[in-house]
Structures are given as structure tokens and as C-alpha cells.
Amino acid sequence: MDLIDDPQPGMNAPEFSVSEISGAVKRMIEGEFGHVRIRGEVGRVSRPRSGHVYLDLKDDRAVISGVMWKGVAARQVTQPEEGMEVVATGRLTTFPGQSKYQIVIEEIAPAGMGALMAMLEKRKAALAAEGLFAEERKRPLPFLPEVIGVVTSPSGAVIRDILHRLRDRFPRKVLIWPVAVQGERCAPEVANAIAGFNALTPGGAIPRPDVVIVARGGGSVEDLWGFNEEAVVRAAAASDIPLISAVGHETDTTLIDYASDRRAPTPSAAAEIAVPVRRDLLAWTAEQEARLTSALTQGITRRGQRLVDLSRALPRAETLLDTPRQKLDRAGDRLPAALRALVHRGEARLSQASGGFRPSLLTHRTRRMGDELRSWSVRLGPALERGRTAKQRDLDKIAPRLDPARIEQARKNGARELEALSRRLARVGAAQIDGWRDRLDGLERMRQSLGYTETLKRGYAVVRGDGDVVTTRAAAQAADALEIEFADGRLAVGEGSATPAPKPKKPKDTPPEQGSLF
């Protein structure tokens, strides 16, 4: 299409539409600048939800817009960040919708090592400001893990070194999550592996690791750059499983080293950190067993010696009952004499009580109560008769005023009531007299039992001197004459002091007293 039209009459310049002139500019720019490489500082960076990346490349005098389509952005090893100096390779084109030109970036890389390290330091500072590298976030490693997860390449020498060191030190179960350890696929695969190990269910079909090792051999900064990516650092910081980073050699440092719970200088050192030495554990266990056995033996020996020392201070078992046996024998020997003394004291108290008892008083009281009974029985008959006569007179007084039939009925009723009352009174009187008679009989029996005459029948005697009862030897010696009363009569003793009676001899046929049972 020819953009130069014939000018209208009276006009010297041709006329173009907006679309026409925009298309002409687009063709000219794309024709003149096919592929270009532009070096500049990344300015504004925008990442919409579509996945495309929009950015500005600038220097101290100009700015050019750039765009990376979604597929190209995903393939980039280094993602552009604001302030980074980069070299962008692509083609120039225009965007008619905003009347501007831009570069469609096909590849972008840091402008040099200095720029790469500056970007690394900037990212490190930003992540540290979020607290992802804080020491309080780091978790202690298990002393002896059952399962160890390893995130590394399955075909490199790293995994062989780790397995060899684990086999030499302490064989454990190992789960390998294969990943790319460099290139554009490194960062997402490592982040997914760390998250995948944490997503395993404890006790499931696939055991969940107790510790995770992220390992890679040495290389250049560009080779190890995937472990500096933000996604890898955040995945390591968010891991619930303790994580050991073993990326590169001892002098190589990546951002995952700061986010991990423990950094190992080499992959082999990571295996040494993960598990102890089995032989050392066995030696330590044997040493502790020997110490425990020695401590137990010494403790038992000391306690046995202490028991022997204490047993020497205790009396012998056969001597513990000697004193109780002796006390029992003494009590058994004293028991018969105590029983005899108790009987004698009882007899003495009974004799004293019976000595002051006067039978004449009890006889007088019994005779008086009998007289009262006879008096009441004599007075009872006339009283009943007087009561019957008085009631009859009362009936005679009111008889003229009453109906004869009712009077007769009342007389019969009164007679019956009087008869019943007489019978009741006779029964009550007879019962009262019987009760008094029983009481008198009981008092008589008590008088006889408490009287000294019953005691005389049991072999005792009453000694009187000058008419009074003699209870002591001194009184008997002082009396002019003594009289002894037995159960069948009294016997007068001549004048003078009584000689003491000889001590009765023990009959020969009396059996010996029972000895001690002990």
C-alpha cells in the first residue's frame, strides 16, 4: 500500500490516518532494528496476573519500555528486579495504542558480576528484614533421625557421597527427591521438593523425613544462583522439618544457607551432621553401662555393710522374750497370794459390816409393819360397811322422788358396782399385803445372810471381852475375861491374857502349788 496519496487541490502535503502513520513507523523500526542488545538499569517492574513482565530500561538520559511474555519470563535464570543493571536482548517494536516504542525481551541477564552481587546483597537485606534469617526461627536437629530426606540431583556424585557417609557412620533410611541443581528449573523444583517433604503425613505409606538435606556440588555463582532465589529461601524458612543446607564448597555461600537450620560446608559434612557415629554411641553406651553397674554394686555393698553395722546394735532374737518371761513368772508366783489377800479383805469388810448390824432393829421394823397390816385389815371391813351404809342412806333419801322401777334398777346397778368395787378393793388389798409380806421375807433373808450367825456356821467365831466385841489382840490381852461365841453356843474363857494360837500346819496331803508355765 502506498502511503503517499495525491494531495487535494490547494494542499501541498499528503494526509495520513493515525493507523497509517503508526503502521509506517512500526515497519520502519522493526526493519531497521531487528535484534538488539540494550544495556541499562531496570526501573519500574510490573508483573500482572497474566504472567507477563513489564519493565523500564533506563540510563541517566532516556527510558525505554520493555516486555517479556509469560513463556520467556518463565525460562529466565535471573529475574529482573528494580535497580539491577542488565543486558536485554530482543527486538524493537511499537505499541500503537499508546504511541510508544518498546523492546520485546527474549533474554535478560545481569550486566556483570558486580551487578549480580549487588542484586544478591539487596535480596539478602530484604529477606533478612522480614526475619527469615533470624536465629530464633531455627530448629534443633534430631539426635538420631529415622528417615533422612535428600533434595539433590540423583545422577551426581553428591548423593553417592551422602549415602557413603551415612553408611559408614550410622545407616538410616534415605528418601531422595530428584531436582535440577542449576538452570531455570532449579529454583522451582527445589522449592517444591522442600514443600513436598513437609506435606508428607507422619506414619503414612511414605515416611515423613525427620531431617532434610538440600545438597549440591561446587560451581560458579551463576551455577549456584538457583539457591539464591526468593522462592527457595522462603520454602527453606517455612519448612517444619529441620533443614541442612549443603550447597557448593566451604567458600560458597547462598541465601538458602542463611534460611536453613544448619549449614554444612560440603554434602559429606551434611551427612556427618545429620547422624552420630554408631561406634561412638556403642562405646559410650558400654561405658555408661559399666558405670551404672559399678554404681549399683557399690550402692548395694554400702547398704549391706550399713545393715550389718545396724544389726550389731540390735539384741538377739532369742533374748527379746527373756524379760517378758521373767515378768510373767513373777506375776504367776504372786497371783495365789494376791487372791488369798483379796478374799481375806472381803471377809474382813463383811465381818465389819455384820458387826454393826442390829437384828433387833430389823425385827422391830418387821413387827411394826405387821401390826400396821393387821390394823389396816381390821379397819378395812368397817370402812367398807360404812361406805355401803352411807350410799344406802343416800338412796333412801332420794327414793321418794324417783320412779320405783328406776330406783330398783339403780339399786341393782349400785349393788353391782359396789360388789365390783369391793372385789377390786379386796384384790388390791390382798396384792398389797402379799407385796409387803414378800418384802418382809426378803428383809428377813437379808438379815439372816448379813447376820454374823450365818458366818459362825462357816467356822468363824465372835470373841467378846467384858461384854464388848474384841477385834484386836491388844484388846483381848487387856480384857479381864473372854467369851467366844460359836454357831452352837458360847464358851467362856478363863481370866488372864490369851495365848496366841499356834500357826496351823499345812496338811501333808496338800498338793504342791502349781509352778510357772514358763
Side-chain angles (χ1 to χ4, degrees):
M1 175 181 178
D2 190 4
L3 295 178
I4 304 176
D5 296 335
D6 294 335
Q8 296 180 2
M11 299 293 293
N12 293 327
E15 293 181 355
F16 302 96
S17 67
V18 176
S19 298
E20 290 173 345
I21 194 66
S22 296
V25 173
K26 181 179 179 70
R27 286 191 297 271
M28 183 178 61
I29 292 177
E30 290 180 354
E32 291 292 334
F33 303 96
H35 274 76
V36 296
R37 296 178 75 242
I38 301 175
R39 180 174 182 148
E41 181 182 346
V42 178
R44 175 190 56 86
V45 179
S46 175
R47 290 181 173 85
R49 300 179 64 181
S50 61
H52 310 314
V53 178
Y54 299 94
L55 53 86
D56 292 336
L57 295 176
K58 62 183 181 178
D59 57 15
D60 55 346
R61 290 178 295 179
V63 178
I64 183 173
S65 298
V67 60
M68 279 195 304
W69 305 124
K70 178 181 179 180
V72 176
R75 293 195 304 268
Q76 298 305 309
V77 176
T78 303
Q79 294 296 323
E81 297 182 8
E82 187 176 353
M84 186 188 340
E85 188 176 2
V86 297
V87 175
T89 304
R91 56 186 177 84
L92 288 180
T93 185
T94 62
F95 182 49
Q98 294 183 355
S99 298
K100 68 178 183 179
Y101 68 94
Q102 61 185 7
I103 179 173
V104 178
I105 300 173
E106 297 175 356
E107 183 181 357
I108 191 170
M113 185 60 66
L116 196 62
M117 297 308 296
M119 182 185 65
L120 181 62
E121 291 298 325
K122 182 179 178 181
R123 183 179 297 171
K124 176 181 176 183
L127 295 175
E130 296 182 22
L132 300 182
F133 302 156
E135 289 295 328
E136 55 270 15
R137 293 175 57 93
K138 300 183 183 300
R139 292 165 296 277
L141 302 179
F143 177 73
L144 184 61
E146 290 291 334
V147 181
I148 300 174
V150 180
V151 179
T152 189
S153 173
S155 58
V158 172
I159 187 62
R160 291 195 297 271
D161 293 341
I162 292 176
L163 294 178
H164 178 70
R165 295 302 295 161
L166 290 176
R167 186 165 51 251
D168 289 345
R169 291 176 65 86
F170 208 119
R172 297 282 87 185
K173 295 179 182 178
V174 178
L175 289 179
I176 302 174
W177 195 300
V179 296
V181 293
Q182 70 181 48
E184 60 186 19
R185 294 188 297 111
C186 174
E189 288 185 4
V190 171
N192 291 335
I194 296 174
F197 274 135
N198 281 271
L200 293 176
T201 304
I206 300 177
R208 188 172 188 258
D210 300 313
V211 65
V212 173
I213 299 175
V214 179
R216 188 205 187 280
S220 64
V221 175
E222 290 81 1
D223 293 338
L224 303 179
W225 191 257
F227 298 94
N228 291 322
E229 293 294 340
E230 183 177 348
V232 175
V233 175
R234 293 189 181 277
S239 175
D240 293 330
I241 303 174
L243 188 141
I244 303 173
S245 64
V247 178
H249 296 302
E250 187 172 358
T251 57
D252 298 325
T253 303
T254 56
L255 295 184
I256 193 176
D257 296 334
Y258 298 101
S260 62
D261 299 301
R262 187 77 175 272
R263 178 184 181 269
T266 61
S268 299
E272 295 176 359
I273 293 174
V275 295
V277 180
R278 186 171 182 270
R279 289 188 296 272
D280 294 345
L281 286 179
L282 292 176
W284 180 83
T285 304
E287 180 183 356
Q288 297 301 315
E289 181 182 5
R291 292 180 59 187
L292 179 61
T293 303
S294 176
L296 290 175
T297 303
Q298 293 178 4
I300 293 174
T301 303
R302 287 196 300 269
R303 285 166 175 77
Q305 184 62 39
R306 179 62 176 166
L307 184 61
V308 171
D309 295 341
L310 292 175
S311 64
R312 293 194 183 110
L314 295 175
R316 291 179 299 172
E318 58 272 11
T319 62
L320 292 176
L321 297 178
D322 290 347
T323 301
R325 287 195 186 103
Q326 186 175 2
K327 290 182 178 180
L328 185 60
D329 291 341
R330 292 184 59 188
D333 294 339
R334 294 168 57 188
L335 183 59
L339 291 176
R340 288 192 294 270
L342 181 62
V343 172
H344 292 163
R345 286 196 298 270
E347 291 176 350
R349 287 196 300 269
L350 181 61
S351 298
Q352 292 177 2
S354 61
F357 182 72
R358 292 184 294 173
S360 58
L361 180 60
L362 183 59
T363 303
H364 175 70
R365 185 175 179 182
T366 304
R367 186 179 299 110
R368 186 181 63 185
M369 293 180 68
D371 295 339
E372 290 179 357
L373 286 176
R374 285 191 294 272
S375 174
W376 288 346
S377 61
V378 171
R379 294 162 56 189
L380 181 60
L384 290 176
E385 185 61 30
R386 286 195 299 270
R388 186 182 297 109
T389 303
K391 193 169 185 180
Q392 184 63 37
R393 284 198 302 268
D394 294 338
L395 289 175
D396 293 341
K397 289 180 181 180
I398 62 175
R401 294 177 293 174
L402 296 177
D403 185 20
R406 294 180 61 186
I407 293 173
E408 184 63 24
Q409 184 64 31
R411 182 181 292 110
K412 293 180 179 179
N413 293 338
R416 285 195 297 271
E417 292 177 2
L418 184 60
E419 185 65 23
L421 183 61
S422 300
R423 288 195 298 270
R424 288 177 60 190
L425 186 59
R427 287 196 301 272
V428 171
Q432 184 70 28
I433 293 172
D434 292 338
W436 287 340
R437 183 178 293 108
D438 294 339
R439 185 177 179 183
L440 286 174
D441 293 341
L443 291 174
E444 178 62 23
R445 287 191 298 272
M446 181 182 297
R447 183 188 66 79
Q448 292 179 1
S449 62
L450 295 178
Y452 71 97
T453 56
E454 295 296 328
T455 304
L456 296 178
K457 294 179 180 180
R458 294 197 296 271
Y460 292 89
V462 178
V463 179
R464 292 183 175 85
D466 300 332
D468 297 326
V469 177
V470 176
T471 59
T472 61
R473 178 180 179 183
Q477 290 178 347
D480 297 333
L482 296 177
E483 184 184 44
I484 301 175
E485 181 179 359
F486 296 97
D488 54 351
R490 298 187 179 187
L491 176 64
V493 182
E495 297 181 356
S497 300
T499 58
K503 186 176 181 180
K505 294 183 180 180
K506 188 175 182 179
K508 294 182 180 180
D509 56 349
T510 302
E513 294 184 358
Q514 182 177 352
S516 172
L517 294 178
F518 299 97

